[in-house]
Amino acid sequence: MKKLIDVSSYNGVVDWKKAKRYGCEGAILKIIRKDLKIDNGFSRNYQACNENELAWGVYNYSYATTVAKAKSDMKLVCDILDKIDKTHFVYGVWFDLEDKVQASLSKTKIAEIINAAQQVVESRGYTFGVYTGMSYYNEHIDRKLVKCNNWWIARYYRGDARMQIATNPDEKKKPTMANIAWQYTSKGRFPKTISNGNSGNFDLNVLYKEPVKKKVEENTKKTVKKKTVYYPKYKGKSKSLVDALKSLGINSGKNNRKRIAVLNGIKNYSGSASQNTKLLNLLKRGTLIKCK
């Protein structure tokens, strides 16, 4: 069980180093706004999470009332994710369904919208989940029609009472459908102020397990998947990619590093500090894809 906060530009500038020190173990970050522009705090927040080695995911507060809108919005979310450093991206993409614009739709229509969003996200290789409130879930969701198995549910059983991040919620109040995460208060507090927004309050969540990625269904004949092979995990303390590669007996020449960079999603490798740091982090995690 881990304690997570979900954050948007509304929370202002967050001191993530302090947040981690006070018990925050991860975050779900708002990625786009209603006008489909990137949330003002997103770039700052995901970069800070990476720097502080905090696992993170993203959410999109949805205003979609049609399948087409759900698809186009989630395509945009995936487009943004494709282009950024996802070193500590762990918790996937969450479809936040709680607005009144969907409340007037039938359960069948809402299920179609969720399923359409899920199809886009999973086809792009990302894990998908749904966030909503317990009452909204009970009134508007028909689980028999929805394919998603990852649910993050809000239930503020103490109302507007403030709750410290160190205090665990009463598990007896946990919504039964919250199999991945439970958002238990919107008045979460840290021992000392860590941001200049929302009067210092944060949504606090308990994460029970990481969301499960669903395998994309194949419509054609099954093909034999090539197994991804990784370099051995680097356990040393050097901050030099070259030294780390050498210690593992790996060719550390620039041409070989270029080949490694391409395999690991880094284009136009020039040997810059930021590029080498990304590769070194992957090597430390044992997830640096190996050249043949």
Side-chain angles (χ1 to χ4, degrees):
M1 185 176 81
K2 295 183 177 180
K3 293 285 184 69
L4 270 61
I5 58 177
D6 53 279
V7 174
S8 72
S9 59
Y10 189 55
N11 294 101
V13 178
V14 178
D15 187 328
W16 289 98
K17 187 174 182 179
K18 283 185 179 179
K20 184 177 181 179
R21 186 191 311 155
Y22 293 143
C24 174
E25 297 171 280
I28 310 294
L29 310 173
K30 185 171 184 178
I31 186 166
I32 58 173
R33 311 183 312 195
K34 186 176 183 179
D35 61 7
L36 304 184
K37 292 182 180 179
I38 297 176
D39 181 78
N40 290 337
F42 176 65
S43 294
R44 176 179 67 241
N45 288 326
Y46 90 76
Q47 290 171 6
C49 284
N50 281 341
E51 289 169 6
N52 288 281
E53 299 184 341
L54 279 168
W56 57 278
V58 300
Y59 76 91
N60 170 35
Y61 185 103
S62 177
Y63 297 92
T65 56
T66 65
V67 164
K69 172 68 171 169
K71 285 184 175 181
S72 63
D73 288 356
M74 300 316 286
K75 180 181 181 298
L76 173 60
V77 168
C78 294
D79 287 345
I80 295 168
L81 287 173
D82 283 350
K83 298 173 184 177
I84 65 175
D85 178 2
K86 296 182 288 296
T87 301
H88 291 282
F89 178 75
V90 174
Y91 300 136
V93 178
W94 292 89
F95 191 66
D96 183 343
L97 189 82
E98 59 180 303
D99 199 78
K100 61 183 180 181
V101 296
Q102 292 107 359
S104 60
L105 303 175
S106 68
K107 290 183 178 181
T108 299
K109 189 66 177 177
I110 287 176
E112 289 173 355
I113 288 169
I114 295 173
N115 292 339
Q118 179 176 359
Q119 188 277 324
V120 169
V121 172
E122 291 182 341
S123 71
R124 298 284 289 270
Y126 297 110
T127 307
F128 178 86
V130 178
Y131 165 91
T132 192
M134 185 174 73
S135 297
Y136 204 96
Y137 178 99
N138 291 330
E139 292 178 26
H140 304 292
I141 304 294
D142 184 342
R143 279 301 302 276
K144 295 177 182 177
L145 301 175
V146 177
K147 297 177 182 178
C148 181
N149 291 318
N150 296 320
W151 293 87
W152 170 22
I153 304 295
R155 184 194 182 192
Y156 304 157
Y157 70 98
R158 291 192 61 196
D160 288 331
R162 289 181 176 177
M163 296 182 70
Q164 284 291 324
I165 191 168
T167 303
N168 292 326
D170 183 352
E171 286 293 321
K172 294 179 181 178
K173 305 296 184 182
K174 171 185 172 289
T176 57
M177 69 290 292
N179 66 325
I180 301 297
W182 169 26
Q183 185 182 90
Y184 57 92
T185 182
S186 61
K187 292 293 189 294
R189 308 286 290 192
F190 286 81
K192 293 184 180 180
T193 301
I194 66 164
S195 78
N196 60 356
N198 197 26
S199 302
N201 294 315
F202 286 87
D203 294 340
L204 297 184
N205 307 271
V206 173
L207 180 82
Y208 296 99
K209 61 180 181 179
E210 290 183 15
V212 179
K213 180 178 287 189
K214 183 179 178 182
K215 292 181 180 179
V216 178
E217 296 178 1
E218 294 182 284
N219 296 320
T220 58
K221 290 182 180 180
K222 290 184 178 179
T223 55
V224 178
K225 270 192 173 182
K226 292 182 180 179
K227 185 178 180 181
T228 303
V229 180
Y230 302 98
Y231 285 111
K233 188 173 184 178
Y234 175 62
K235 298 179 180 179
K237 296 182 179 180
S238 176
K239 294 182 179 179
S240 165
L241 174 65
V242 171
D243 290 345
L245 291 172
K246 285 181 179 178
S247 72
L248 295 171
I250 302 167
N251 181 354
S252 62
K254 189 169 183 180
N255 287 336
N256 195 50
R257 280 184 280 132
K258 279 184 179 181
R259 288 192 289 271
I260 295 172
V262 171
L263 275 176
N264 287 273
I266 298 177
K267 298 178 181 179
N268 301 318
Y269 177 80
S270 62
S272 69
S274 62
Q275 290 172 332
N276 285 340
T277 297
K278 291 176 185 178
L279 293 174
L280 182 59
N281 285 336
L282 292 172
L283 191 62
K284 287 180 178 179
R285 292 164 60 189
T287 56
L288 185 67
I289 299 173
K290 185 177 182 180
C291 287
K292 290 184 179 180

